[in-house]
Amino acid sequence: MRFSFGAGFIVALCACGVGAGFASPASPLSQPPAPSPQPYLTTIGDSITYGIGASDRETTSYAALLARALGARWTNLGIQRETLIPEPNAIFTGVSGSGSAYRSNGGVLADEVPNIPLQTTIVTLYIGTNDLYYTAASMHPDLSNAAGIFSGVGPLWDSAFTSLIHAIRVRVPSAKIVVATVINVADKGNVARLNAGPWKSYRRGFTDLANHMNAAIYNAGVDVAAVHCDARLYDVANYMTPDDVHPNDIGHRALFEDFMTAIRHPQKRPSPCIYDGPI
């Protein structure tokens, strides 16, 4: 016998639902979205990442501001006076050109990367400031070795940076990596105190080296926070502490904003800015 169900029976069936003993699986559209897993931020770098210059490194440093804005668990591995290029080496011998000693280290690769938590989902890197200052410190007072220092640091940076990014990817393969560009210290007030020779050639050498370092960052396939293009960070009177090196609270906020832009709107190679290119 063939049964024919009319439209009225179908409507009644739908209206009765579970009350009539029929299981009615909920539509996926009716389910609340699954909560996104909490991000885990690890910040690596030097004293600026550590939080020097901020009034409270746990709340007003750029790294702390990032963690709060992302709602992330956070590990800060920044080390004061850290470099990318390990010291001593062929250029940074452990004794400056003026004879003073500076701390030896293994560079950020040896000192920080092994401690990145494996649950990390975002790694930020801000490094290079000390590499530039050790470049200056390694020069003889008469700048007689300046050309060799400038030409020697570039290959050391390239090798160290390639190894660093590879190691981060091995350590936390699925993490987003965001790297800040290197600020050209030749355009900051403090470089005048480092100048031991003709200003133009000294400044040109630092500009070329900073551009070389940033090219390595651009070419690494990471997301880039173009902090070297942020005019605020060259305003030492308002955005830096009296040492002209470490950002104050509003300087840290500027760094935070640059990193957040890179996280929210990733780009591998930011547009050129007035701080790029030769003088």
Side-chain angles (χ1 to χ4, degrees):
M1 179 180 295
R2 178 177 298 176
F3 293 93
S4 175
F5 294 96
F9 180 83
I10 294 175
V11 171
L13 181 62
C14 293
C16 292
V18 175
F22 292 93
S24 178
S27 166
L29 297 178
S30 68
Q31 297 297 312
S36 299
Q38 184 181 20
Y40 197 118
L41 171 69
T42 297
T43 50
I44 62 178
D46 54 26
S47 58
I48 297 174
T49 297
Y50 178 81
I52 297 298
S55 58
D56 181 350
R57 57 182 292 263
E58 297 294 335
T59 60
T60 62
S61 67
Y62 86 83
L65 295 173
L66 275 176
R68 185 162 65 249
L70 294 169
R73 291 180 292 164
W74 171 42
T75 294
N76 188 352
L77 297 177
I79 297 175
Q80 297 184 61
R81 299 182 68 184
E82 185 67 281
T83 57
L84 173 67
I85 302 170
E87 333 159 12
N89 54 61
I91 305 297
F92 306 147
T93 61
V95 179
S96 72
S98 60
S100 61
Y102 44 78
R103 182 180 70 90
S104 297
N105 65 38
V108 65
L109 171 57
D111 297 339
E112 300 180 38
V113 170
N115 298 316
I116 296 175
L118 297 180
Q119 63 269 44
T120 296
T121 58
I122 303 173
V123 177
T124 64
L125 169 66
Y126 189 174
I127 200 73
T129 300
N130 291 320
D131 296 86
L132 287 175
Y133 284 116
Y134 288 140
T135 296
S138 300
M139 294 179 186
H140 296 155
D142 63 359
L143 292 184
S144 59
N145 65 338
I149 294 292
F150 280 132
S151 64
V153 171
L156 289 175
W157 175 274
D158 293 346
S159 175
F161 192 79
T162 298
S163 297
L164 173 62
I165 298 303
H166 174 74
I168 294 173
R169 287 174 171 150
V170 169
R171 177 76 178 172
V172 282
S174 61
K176 173 191 286 288
I177 303 173
V178 186
V179 181
T181 51
V182 178
I183 288 179
N184 179 8
V185 298
D187 281 330
K188 292 181 65 176
N190 52 41
V191 78
R193 294 202 298 269
L194 301 176
N195 185 30
W199 168 253
K200 185 174 182 179
S201 63
Y202 191 73
R203 184 174 178 224
R204 175 64 179 265
F206 269 103
T207 298
D208 290 345
L209 181 57
N211 291 336
H212 182 104
M213 291 173 162
N214 287 333
I217 294 172
Y218 294 153
N219 293 332
V222 296
D223 294 324
V224 179
V227 303
H228 80 290
C229 290
D230 189 336
R232 296 173 294 181
L233 298 173
Y234 295 83
D235 181 356
V236 296
N238 295 303
Y239 286 82
M240 296 290 151
T241 57
D243 66 8
D244 290 352
V245 177
H246 298 97
N248 57 22
D249 278 348
I250 60 172
H252 272 280
R253 176 160 286 277
L255 286 173
F256 152 72
E257 292 171 357
D258 292 337
F259 269 108
M260 281 302 295
T261 296
I263 291 170
R264 289 174 172 165
H265 307 288
Q267 48 183 334
K268 307 302 181 185
R269 182 180 291 271
S271 302
C273 64
I274 60 172
Y275 302 103
D276 291 317
I279 296 173

